[in-house]
Amino acid sequence: SQQGEEDPQALSIQEGENATMNCSYKTSINNLQWYRQNSGRGLVHLILIRSNEREKHSGRLRVTLDTSKKSSSLLITASRAADTASYFCATYLGPGGTSYGKLTFGQGTILTVHP
Amino acid sequence: EPEVTQTPSHQVTQMGQEVILRCVPISNHLYFYWYRQILGQKVEFLVSFYNNEISEKSEIFDDQFSVERPDGSNFTLKIRSTKLEDSAMYFCASSEVYGIGNQPQHFGDGTRLSIL
């Protein structure tokens, strides 16, 4: 089974519009993180939401987490051309068992913001 | 802002050759990771490393792979006998706090490994 699947796979919007990306996962998690990747660059951490949190904000970013549905969404408000990038959710299962620091990434959403 | 740096940015190697990818994690970080991303696919976890030993490794990280922290600043990934399927972007990451994973992992810009 796949842990961390984003949709849509690609999203194209105009500057100023909001962008919403979704992530679903299969197993119980400790936290879920969103990362951005500009073309040819590494991943940049955006926001972390713990399993006991439902919503978190950071600047123009809003993340929600629904553990009953095993899903999360990332909302970018008032998008800018500079937001053009790939966005990945990553789940952390928690200490112990078979997971010590390992992040499991989704396939990602490619966001294009047109000026 | 402190960064994770990786060298080289692109490595081209003949199949069967050994390759060493180098990383300088953020200086006060204690936990180190390698991930890889095959073109068009997900970022995949390879290994985590703490206190000079491997904490966790994936099924990808077989006997051909090894990691080392040869001094106080570098963290390396070695592939002993490269295969065509090892072609990928390899990312190093580091973090301040391990275990509960409540700190972000900071990634370098990656080394693109091309096996011919």
Side-chain angles (χ1 to χ4, degrees):
Chain A
S1 63
Q2 298 289 328
Q3 180 81 346
E5 297 291 332
E6 288 97 333
D7 79 86
Q9 291 187 340
L11 182 61
S12 181
I13 59 174
Q14 295 295 127
E15 226 173 11
E17 294 180 341
N18 295 342
T20 300
M21 290 159 268
N22 302 297
C23 169
S24 61
Y25 56 92
K26 300 285 187 183
T27 65
S28 296
I29 60 172
N30 180 284
N31 66 58
L32 186 144
Q33 305 178 31
W34 285 90
Y35 286 80
R36 184 187 74 221
Q37 185 181 33
N38 289 78
S39 180
R41 302 297 301 274
L43 296 114
V44 175
H45 181 264
L46 296 176
I47 198 163
L48 181 154
I49 186 163
R50 295 181 176 81
S51 60
N52 61 354
E53 296 175 313
R54 291 297 165 256
E55 188 171 311
K56 206 159 182 182
H57 297 255
S58 176
R60 294 183 297 112
L61 306 181
R62 173 176 167 255
V63 168
T64 61
L65 180 65
D66 186 334
T67 52
S68 66
K69 295 180 180 177
K70 292 187 170 57
S71 67
S72 173
S73 67
L74 170 68
L75 168 67
I76 304 173
T77 59
S79 63
R80 305 166 182 165
D83 295 327
T84 294
S86 293
Y87 291 81
F88 298 89
C89 68
T91 53
Y92 175 64
L93 301 187
T98 60
S99 179
Y100 288 86
K102 169 185 172 181
L103 291 177
T104 301
F105 285 85
Q107 191 76 29
T109 293
I110 301 171
L111 174 66
T112 304
V113 182
H114 299 281
Chain B
E1 186 174 321
E3 291 183 336
V4 174
T5 56
Q6 290 186 243
T7 55
S9 56
H10 191 192
Q11 174 79 46
V12 181
T13 302
Q14 291 290 330
M15 187 172 59
Q17 296 296 305
E18 174 183 288
V19 66
I20 297 176
L21 309 182
R22 303 181 191 279
C23 169
V24 178
I26 295 174
S27 61
N28 65 336
H29 285 184
L30 298 176
Y31 303 98
F32 315 113
Y33 315 87
W34 283 100
Y35 292 82
R36 78 173 186 190
Q37 185 178 31
I38 294 171
L39 189 63
Q41 297 187 23
K42 298 182 180 185
V43 175
E44 301 173 290
F45 171 83
L46 293 178
V47 66
S48 59
F49 188 86
Y50 168 67
N51 199 27
N52 283 319
E53 59 182 30
I54 291 173
S55 300
E56 184 182 8
K57 59 184 181 179
S58 72
E59 56 275 10
I60 301 168
F61 195 90
D62 61 21
D63 291 345
Q64 294 300 313
F65 290 85
S66 62
V67 288
E68 191 179 29
R69 188 153 163 82
D71 53 44
S73 59
N74 291 284
F75 179 51
T76 62
L77 173 70
K78 182 193 290 186
I79 310 174
R80 289 189 185 81
S81 179
T82 50
K83 307 182 184 74
L84 293 176
E85 54 264 36
D86 293 328
S87 295
M89 182 73 89
Y90 287 80
F91 292 106
C92 172
S94 67
S95 66
E96 287 185 64
V97 172
Y98 178 68
I100 58 174
N102 279 322
Q103 293 292 335
Q105 294 181 18
H106 297 259
F107 285 76
D109 281 342
T111 292
R112 179 166 298 285
L113 178 63
S114 300
I115 307 300
L116 303 179

